Amino acid sequence: MSKQMRFTLLGGIVLLLIALLIYLIANISSEGNKDLSENQENPVGNQEIPAEYDQSFRPQFHYTPAENWMNDPNGMVYYEGEYHLFYQYNPEGDQFGNMSWGHATSKDLVHWKEEEVAMTPDENGMIFSGSIIADENNKSGLFPDGEGGLIAFYTSAGDVQDQRIAYSTDKGRTWTKYEGNPVVPNPGIEDFRDPKVVWHEESEQYIMLLAAGKKVMFYGSKNLVDWEYLSEFGNVGAQDGVWETPELFELPVDGNEEDTRWVLQVDMNPGSIAGGSGGQYFLGDFNGKEFIRQEKTDDINWVDFGKDFYAAQAFNGMDDRTVWMAWMSNWEYAADIPTDPWRGAMSIPREVTLTKDKNDEVQLVQQPAPELEQLRGDLLYETTDETLGGAKPLSDIESQTYEIVAEFEVGSAGEFGFRVRNSDDLKEGTIVGYDAKNDLVFTDRADSGKTDFHENFPGVYRAPSSAENGTVKLHLFVDRSSVELFANGGRQVMTNRIFPFMESNGLEMYSKDGEVTIKSMQIYEMNTIH
């Protein structure tokens, strides 16, 4: 081989190595950008967002604390014109521990202001979950004559779990722990926690519910301080995990005040329909002493068919409505989600009602609280009587936060729905749709973005849901790191966290194996609450 040929060959190899090096550097840079995407700006519409709430996975219309760990909602109460959201909170870091009560307030149930930490651990243990009730007539005797205030019931989690109270004279800003604590000592049960206190009109007493292993225990009191054991309910429903955070309220069926049911809701960990932690409910009667289940079947009634709706709690003090919120996470991977400097988010507020299905059985219905409509921004897309066969990218929409209200006539389609937070380049997106062949609504987050932080995060979640007179309604709320689906008027609900890269802001409609008619659809930009 001549020197010239050797020189030419050597030069080609050098050029090839340089090209390979440039390619590797570019890809490393790209991967680095993906890893850092949590801290990059990601605007909502044209709004200015405070820097502390502008990480790419930070929800924009769900409550999150500015920093640190958050889980179960606690002490939810409407009092003197304010909604109060307390919650399990670790003020010292983004992992579970040193549990205290965080606090946020709202005038409209939508825009939340983070307040100072309400209660912190003491020599008796951490401050676990509980509830708050307004003692407006001072039945407890804890307030000055002629005055009232708020009383918090919480679990003190030390060597044993017992129930204690604290009271506030300044609308929940500061709290005094009761000198006579505990008000309900531990009777020798390992898991004995999460007091929910409600007023029962017929028996003219306060009722406390406690989660105790795999049952709910009921206590009664006339003065909120002295409590008497009444009964217990358990050994039914989902039993694979420990029961937690019970809830009790009475609702009319289809608005008929002469036909009511009591709803007993409990969460369990693990053992939910989607795996890990989740919630179930029972229907029946509560007579002031015991809950009597009254349902046609022993089937399990799941609260939410998604992976991320836990510890639902309703606001006390909303006499004409029942509205609840839940922690939007799952104990399987809550400590591993890729967020910083905060960890934990609440669901949107949901109004809860009862209705009869086509089999004349009563079921729970959840609808987005109407207050959320004030967050609607621009109408991004609207259509009526549009036939869809195949995929249709909505190329004019590039957003991370929006609401979709859609009604479909099934037609010949085997499947239809949406690909949200979609990116063809990154090959990621979340599919939310209806399986007409099997009468199911579903959410597929297997390729939704960052999924490899825990083996139980990626998956497909389904709920039985039949078309009504040939139509299906899908109502979606898409935020930077969550998708909440309300199907067929809220008869089936599915809540899932997602962690897409900031570039994944596409939206696509699709139909498979036939055509579907979009009877009506509106897509709204959702404004930030910050």
Side-chain angles (χ1 to χ4, degrees):
M1 180 182 293
S2 68
K3 291 183 179 179
Q4 183 176 0
M5 291 179 64
R6 287 198 297 270
F7 179 81
T8 301
L9 180 60
L10 180 61
I13 293 172
V14 169
L15 290 174
L16 181 62
L17 289 173
I18 291 172
L20 180 60
L21 181 61
I22 292 172
Y23 173 83
L24 290 173
I25 291 173
N27 276 274
I28 291 170
S29 175
S30 174
E31 291 300 314
N33 285 337
K34 289 183 180 181
D35 291 339
L36 292 172
S37 66
E38 170 60 22
N39 296 312
Q40 295 180 13
E41 293 183 358
N42 191 12
V44 174
N46 296 316
Q47 302 169 81
E48 293 185 4
I49 305 168
E52 62 268 31
Y53 294 105
D54 198 22
Q55 299 83 40
S56 66
F57 296 146
R58 171 85 69 172
Q60 289 303 303
F61 55 90
H62 295 78
Y63 176 76
T64 58
E67 58 183 1
N68 300 327
W69 171 279
M70 176 184 74
N71 59 289
D72 304 355
N74 303 149
M76 297 169 66
V77 64
Y78 179 70
Y79 180 65
E80 294 189 357
E82 281 186 321
Y83 296 93
H84 292 265
L85 167 63
F86 296 83
Y87 47 89
Q88 291 286 278
Y89 183 65
N90 180 3
E92 297 182 354
D94 64 353
Q95 298 291 319
F96 179 85
N98 194 40
M99 297 316 294
S100 307
W101 273 25
H103 184 202
T105 58
S106 175
K107 297 289 188 182
D108 61 5
L109 198 57
V110 173
H111 297 87
W112 294 94
K113 175 188 176 185
E114 188 170 355
E115 305 283 357
E116 296 294 323
V117 175
M119 289 189 287
T120 56
D122 55 27
E123 66 277 8
N124 299 302
M126 292 190 288
I127 311 295
F128 273 15
S129 292
S131 58
I132 290 175
I133 202 159
D135 182 16
E136 296 177 299
N137 298 316
N138 197 19
K139 292 184 179 180
S140 65
L142 296 175
F143 303 99
D145 291 341
E147 299 182 20
L150 296 175
I151 299 181
F153 298 82
Y154 64 92
T155 297
S156 179
D159 293 336
V160 298
Q161 296 178 359
D162 57 34
Q163 316 316 316
R164 298 172 182 251
I165 62 176
Y167 55 96
S168 174
T169 60
D170 58 0
K171 298 177 67 174
R173 270 59 179 185
T174 60
W175 294 87
T176 302
K177 293 174 181 176
Y178 178 52
E179 292 183 357
N181 280 329
V183 294
V184 181
N186 190 300
I189 301 173
E190 180 180 0
D191 297 300
F192 183 68
R193 56 179 176 265
D194 307 339
K196 174 69 182 193
V197 175
V198 298
W199 171 254
H200 186 250
E201 185 66 34
E202 291 184 4
S203 63
E204 297 184 343
Q205 65 177 332
Y206 295 95
I207 302 297
M208 178 190 292
L209 293 77
L210 289 170
K214 297 182 181 181
K215 62 185 178 182
V216 174
M217 300 177 69
F218 296 91
Y219 289 77
S221 174
K222 297 291 187 182
N223 62 8
L224 293 165
V225 175
D226 302 302
W227 293 88
E228 175 188 6
Y229 169 79
L230 298 174
S231 65
E232 60 187 52
F233 175 86
N235 299 316
V236 293
Q239 293 278 301
D240 289 342
V242 174
W243 286 12
E244 294 188 309
T245 58
E247 179 61 81
L248 180 71
F249 46 82
E250 185 180 20
L251 290 174
V253 178
D254 290 318
N256 182 3
E257 298 292 343
E258 302 300 318
D259 182 18
T260 67
R261 301 288 190 281
W262 283 86
V263 180
L264 173 62
Q265 186 267 340
V266 295
D267 293 88
M268 81 292 301
N269 178 39
S272 76
I273 181 66
S277 49
Q280 63 180 322
Y281 69 91
F282 305 94
L283 299 174
D285 181 50
F286 183 75
N287 59 16
K289 182 177 181 180
E290 57 186 350
F291 179 84
I292 301 139
R293 190 180 186 189
Q294 297 174 337
E295 298 182 71
K296 293 182 180 180
T297 71
D298 292 329
D299 293 345
I300 298 172
N301 301 314
W302 299 108
V303 172
D304 191 294
F305 288 83
K307 200 77 168 165
D308 298 303
F309 190 82
Y310 193 68
Q313 289 286 284
F315 286 92
N316 280 334
M318 295 183 68
D319 296 332
D320 58 339
R321 302 165 60 195
T322 298
V323 175
W324 69 14
M325 296 168 67
W327 177 43
M328 203 161 54
S329 196
N330 192 301
W331 278 115
E332 285 186 337
Y333 47 71
D336 300 311
I337 62 173
T339 63
D340 177 69
W342 57 283
R343 197 179 297 275
M346 291 297 171
S347 72
I348 59 173
R350 303 175 179 181
E351 190 156 349
V352 184
T353 58
L354 295 178
T355 191
K356 286 187 178 179
D357 63 18
K358 62 183 180 181
N359 298 318
D360 204 36
E361 295 184 19
V362 179
Q363 72 167 108
L364 192 76
V365 171
Q366 299 175 72
Q367 290 273 39
E371 286 86 348
L372 288 161
E373 291 184 8
Q374 66 186 281
L375 294 178
R376 287 177 177 174
D378 293 339
L379 180 62
L380 302 176
Y381 186 85
E382 185 174 26
T383 189
T384 57
D385 298 323
E386 178 181 346
T387 299
L388 180 66
K392 180 180 178 178
L394 300 179
S395 55
D396 291 338
I397 299 178
E398 293 184 353
S399 179
Q400 294 90 21
T401 60
Y402 47 89
E403 175 189 4
I404 303 175
V405 185
E407 182 175 358
F408 299 87
E409 186 175 311
V410 175
S412 62
E415 178 185 317
F416 56 86
F418 303 93
R419 294 185 178 94
V420 304
R421 299 302 310 272
N422 190 56
S423 170
D424 292 336
D425 292 339
L426 294 174
K427 294 182 173 56
E428 68 179 35
T430 300
I431 305 172
V432 183
Y434 184 73
D435 177 351
K437 296 178 181 178
N438 298 295
D439 292 334
L440 297 169
V441 290
F442 68 92
T443 299
D444 180 348
R445 68 176 184 188
D447 297 311
S448 57
K450 289 189 176 184
T451 62
D452 60 357
F453 55 86
H454 195 280
E455 62 182 1
N456 291 332
F457 185 82
V460 183
Y461 312 104
R462 304 173 177 87
S465 184
S466 299
E468 299 178 10
N469 299 318
T471 65
V472 170
K473 297 178 181 178
L474 300 179
H475 192 174
L476 281 71
F477 286 83
V478 179
D479 208 337
R480 288 185 175 179
S481 62
S482 65
V483 177
E484 289 169 274
L485 166 64
F486 299 81
N488 292 323
R491 295 173 186 267
Q492 295 82 33
V493 183
M494 194 172 295
T495 306
N496 288 290
R497 299 298 302 275
I498 57 173
F499 300 100
F501 294 115
M502 58 187 297
E503 298 87 356
S504 298
N505 54 13
L507 174 60
E508 180 179 285
M509 305 184 297
Y510 77 94
S511 174
K512 286 184 178 180
D513 303 324
E515 293 183 339
V516 64
T517 299
I518 306 171
K519 296 179 68 175
S520 66
M521 183 170 69
Q522 300 83 38
I523 304 175
Y524 300 94
E525 185 83 47
M526 286 292 282
N527 291 328
T528 183
I529 64 174
H530 302 299

